[in-house]
Amino acid sequence: MLKNPSAKYQPFPAIPIQNRQWPSRTITKAPIWCSVDLRDGNQALAVPMNVSQKLDMFDALVKCGFKEIEVGFPSASNTEFSFNRRLIEEKRIPDDVTIQVLVQAREDLIEKTVQSLIGAKQVVIHMYNSTSPAQRKYVFGKTKEEIIEVARHGAKLIKDRLHRLTEGGTKVTLQYSPESFSATEVEFAKEISEAVMDVWQPTPEHKMILNLPDTVEVAMPNVYADQIEWICTNIKNRDSLIISLHTHNDRGTGTAATELGLLAGADRVEGTLFGNGERTGNLDIVQVAMNLYMHGTEPKLDFSDMNGLIAMYERTTGMTVPARQPYSGELVFTAFSGSHQDAIKKGLSGYDQHKTIWDVPYLTIDPHDIGREYHEVIRVNSQSGKGGVAYLLESEFGIELPKDMQREFGPIANDLVDKLGREVSGTELKGMFWKEYIERETPFALHHFHADGVDGVFTCRCSLVVNDQERGVVGTGNGPIAAFVNALVSDAGAPAFEVATYREQSLSSGTEAAALAFIQIKTATGKLVWGAGVDTNIELASIKAVLSAVNRAG
Ligand code: KIV
Ligand code: ZN
């Protein structure tokens, strides 16, 4: 990289706007959405979609609620052309959905495009030509006036052919994009757009769409907002226009640019699912819709089956959704840090009690709303705290560790996970818990236990394996547990201790119901140690829990 980048790169000039309005506005309703997955997204794929993949995606977009779908560039290839024909001839387009097609301002391409649309109910014909200084200079070698003439000529060619569609009952809306708008002088963008308007003659009753692409992000999103507000304020006949945004993501701010563009007065948004598109991608339309949703605004797009949508996307495009992609990524409802996990666990149980406004720390939305499961929320690695460990044991296996025991087992689990050097599954975590508490057999293992009571005095007779030797031991107390404690200390040679805390719960594993007992003992030195035991018999589960604690204390 250069020591002095200003020798090669320059800042983007400010937009001549005074008294800008957009910073103090808020977005209160969903824009008109247009998916460009099947065109802009498709053209950016190493292997573009075939007709059946495009049909698969079209159906999924309709299911999400898109009412405008740019289906392709029908003059560009046979696949694109025949896709249009199949959609129309097989009557696959619902009555409330408009298909949109892209075309350059060239006669042969316009002709083929019109042919591809015959018989459709309602269509948008989207014409574009490039307008930025670099495109004018390097790509076309044309003056501003010549570039305007390209647009004007293309607009006329389309207008002259419209009757071929309208006579058959097709409702046509026209769309113009000064491509590379955000890198174009706003005055020139206005001039060329007005030249197209002069040909198409939009009215408030029959508007045209003026799409203002951030073809390449060349500035901060506030600059794009200024450009949009400038056009909205200065262009003639604003009420005959639907102002549309089309952002890409070169500086990583495509979503911000779209949102600020909406504040600046735009009515419509073009984008793709998960941001597929040229280079760094198009706007991820899911993000903008879900951002509205998380503020309580109905987005008018439905992503309830996010996993199904991702599967469709990966199947049709061969792309994957990055794990950290907002809302859709695999890890976005996953907390690795212990303090986050703890806060989420508390927030989720708090929310479960009031079930009104979502206020769970670290989770912008309820994962259930988009078909994600709570058990995906927390996974455990060496950075996780006791909260995450407890959450996973409870959500996956119904094991409800007492709070104090969470504090004991959390660090033990963390150490083990740290040694493994990777994230662990719930099953592995349960295995660690079993090894630490349930499967302890030294120095004492239980072979047989029996207790009975007369007049409130219980006697237990059991056989233990102590240091590899089987022996019978006897003890008495005011209950089976007290009798067993007495047997261990007075007959089996265990160091003195008393039971400090006792908890039990039922646990269903497979078809068999079992009991899980947690016992905390206090040794003669005041040390507190937990033990756990599992058995189909609750009394035996408690006895095993006592032994587990004694074995661990030793
Ligand atoms: O990014 C862009 O400018 C485009 C246009 C064709 C609208 O995709
Ligand atoms: Zn684009």
Side-chain angles (χ1 to χ4, degrees):
M1 283 173 62
L2 303 178
K3 281 249 173 313
N4 172 19
S6 71
K8 188 166 178 182
Y9 303 101
Q10 57 183 3
F12 197 82
I15 305 304
I17 189 168
Q18 268 146 28
N19 191 23
R20 60 174 61 70
Q21 297 297 308
W22 64 261
S24 46
R25 295 199 187 123
T26 49
I27 305 174
T28 53
K29 64 177 180 41
I32 303 164
W33 303 108
C34 175
S35 151
V36 294
D37 291 85
L38 293 162
R39 195 278 298 171
D40 220 353
N42 187 46
Q43 77 185 45
L45 296 175
V47 183
M49 287 179 256
N50 59 32
V51 171
S52 80
Q53 287 166 324
K54 285 189 99 174
L55 290 172
D56 191 0
M57 182 175 268
F58 180 82
D59 291 344
L61 292 167
V62 168
K63 205 168 143 212
C64 288
F66 284 97
K67 301 296 175 207
E68 297 188 7
I69 301 175
E70 191 165 72
V71 290
F73 205 144
S75 59
S77 73
N78 281 340
T79 305
E80 296 284 279
F81 187 90
S82 50
F83 176 60
N84 267 18
R85 294 317 307 155
R86 276 195 67 180
L87 282 178
I88 296 165
E89 283 160 20
E90 293 175 11
K91 302 199 181 334
R92 287 169 170 267
I93 309 163
D95 282 351
D96 60 349
V97 171
T98 301
I99 56 165
Q100 174 170 316
V101 288
L102 184 72
V103 67
Q104 282 165 334
R106 274 179 39 195
E107 184 162 15
D108 52 337
L109 306 183
I110 289 171
E111 179 55 36
K112 189 132 196 232
T113 302
V114 169
Q115 279 169 25
S116 81
L117 293 172
I118 305 277
K121 187 157 185 276
Q122 51 217 4
V123 300
V124 173
I125 300 180
H126 177 188
M127 182 192 83
Y128 75 99
N129 69 322
S130 255
T131 54
S132 69
Q135 295 266 5
R136 298 193 306 254
K137 182 163 101 189
Y138 297 122
V139 185
F140 302 106
K142 286 192 189 312
T143 63
K144 283 182 177 172
E145 195 34 58
E146 287 168 329
I147 292 285
I148 291 178
E149 197 38 47
V150 171
R152 198 182 279 128
H153 182 62
K156 280 189 194 136
L157 291 170
I158 291 176
K159 191 170 184 186
D160 291 347
R161 284 162 178 75
L162 282 187
H163 66 98
R164 295 197 4 228
L165 293 167
T166 52
E167 279 163 12
T170 304
K171 188 172 164 260
V172 186
T173 303
L174 298 175
Q175 171 166 337
Y176 174 63
S177 289
E179 201 226 51
S180 61
F181 160 79
S182 57
T184 302
E185 311 86 330
V186 276
E187 296 82 359
F188 182 59
K190 167 178 162 343
E191 196 183 342
I192 194 165
S193 302
E194 288 181 347
V196 172
M197 289 166 73
D198 286 343
V199 179
W200 284 348
Q201 295 287 315
T203 64
E205 292 71 41
H206 193 197
K207 300 181 199 242
M208 67 170 259
I209 301 168
L210 178 61
N211 188 48
L212 301 173
D214 207 1
T215 305
V216 179
E217 272 202 312
V218 287
M220 285 170 61
N222 61 308
V223 174
Y224 185 61
D226 278 358
Q227 291 167 321
I228 300 298
E229 186 167 318
W230 191 95
I231 292 284
C232 286
T233 313
N234 291 288
I235 199 149
K236 69 177 180 186
N237 302 341
R238 166 69 182 94
D239 59 353
S240 301
L241 298 173
I242 293 168
I243 298 287
S244 175
L245 307 174
H246 176 112
T247 62
H248 282 258
N249 204 31
D250 300 78
R251 292 169 53 99
T253 54
T255 299
T258 292
E259 291 182 334
L260 300 192
L262 287 173
L263 292 178
D267 311 295
R268 182 180 187 268
V269 166
E270 294 193 346
T272 60
L273 296 175
F274 316 119
N276 180 39
E278 293 280 7
R279 309 177 308 281
T280 50
N282 281 68
L283 164 79
D284 178 356
I285 218 160
V286 176
Q287 274 179 40
V288 180
M290 292 307 299
N291 285 352
L292 289 175
Y293 181 80
M294 76 154 286
H295 279 180
T297 300
E298 192 200 340
K300 306 236 164 88
L301 286 178
D302 186 353
F303 299 115
S304 301
D305 181 17
M306 189 64 87
N307 290 344
L309 198 63
I310 293 170
M312 176 287 300
Y313 171 77
E314 298 191 343
R315 179 169 77 235
T316 52
T317 63
M319 301 289 291
T320 50
V321 176
R324 304 277 180 201
Q325 189 82 354
Y327 300 106
S328 52
E330 193 200 331
L331 294 179
V332 300
F333 302 113
T334 303
F336 284 86
S337 128
S339 63
H340 291 205
Q341 290 173 351
D342 196 44
I344 290 170
K345 184 169 163 2
K346 287 174 179 148
L348 287 175
S349 72
Y351 175 76
D352 270 348
Q353 280 154 34
H354 62 73
K355 287 237 187 294
T356 53
I357 294 294
W358 182 255
D359 58 355
V360 176
Y362 299 108
L363 297 182
T364 52
I365 58 157
D366 183 345
H368 276 151
D369 292 355
I370 53 171
R372 290 278 167 91
E373 290 300 323
Y374 282 127
H375 72 250
E376 287 183 349
V377 172
I378 293 179
R379 294 160 30 159
V380 170
N381 65 11
S382 62
Q383 302 302 302
S384 313
K386 60 179 175 20
V389 170
Y391 184 89
L392 212 59
L393 287 178
E394 186 174 337
S395 59
E396 289 204 12
F397 305 104
I399 299 172
E400 296 161 31
L401 297 189
K403 273 258 159 338
D404 260 7
M405 195 175 192
Q406 292 178 18
R407 276 190 271 280
E408 186 185 90
F409 181 56
I412 294 171
N414 270 4
D415 273 1
L416 293 168
V417 177
D418 200 24
K419 280 190 192 107
L420 284 174
R422 60 172 171 81
E423 181 188 305
V424 290
S425 66
T427 307
E428 286 175 301
L429 204 62
K430 184 182 171 206
M432 289 174 188
F433 181 79
W434 245 239
K435 198 156 176 226
E436 178 64 30
Y437 293 93
I438 311 280
E439 291 161 3
R440 289 257 180 181
E441 297 225 300
T442 54
F444 302 104
L446 184 70
H447 260 191
H448 174 74
F449 173 84
H450 177 79
D452 47 26
V454 182
D455 297 334
V457 178
F458 282 75
T459 305
C460 94
R461 289 182 180 75
C462 47
S463 97
L464 297 175
V465 176
V466 188
N467 297 329
D468 287 339
Q469 303 248 306
E470 176 136 13
R471 51 184 283 204
V473 290
V474 181
T476 54
N478 59 3
I481 295 178
F484 184 60
V485 170
N486 177 255
L488 277 175
V489 175
S490 61
D491 203 3
F497 72 93
E498 62 188 55
V499 172
T501 314
Y502 172 72
R503 267 249 330 256
E504 65 184 53
Q505 67 159 113
S506 58
L507 194 68
S508 306
S509 79
T511 51
E512 229 178 294
L516 183 55
F518 305 103
I519 275 186
Q520 189 188 41
I521 62 166
K522 189 174 181 182
T523 67
T525 59
K527 192 170 147 198
L528 291 165
V529 185
W530 280 96
V534 65
D535 201 281
T536 47
N537 176 317
I538 181 60
E539 188 176 282
L540 220 44
S542 327
I543 296 303
K544 288 179 177 175
V546 171
L547 210 57
S548 151
V550 170
N551 283 336
R552 293 189 65 248

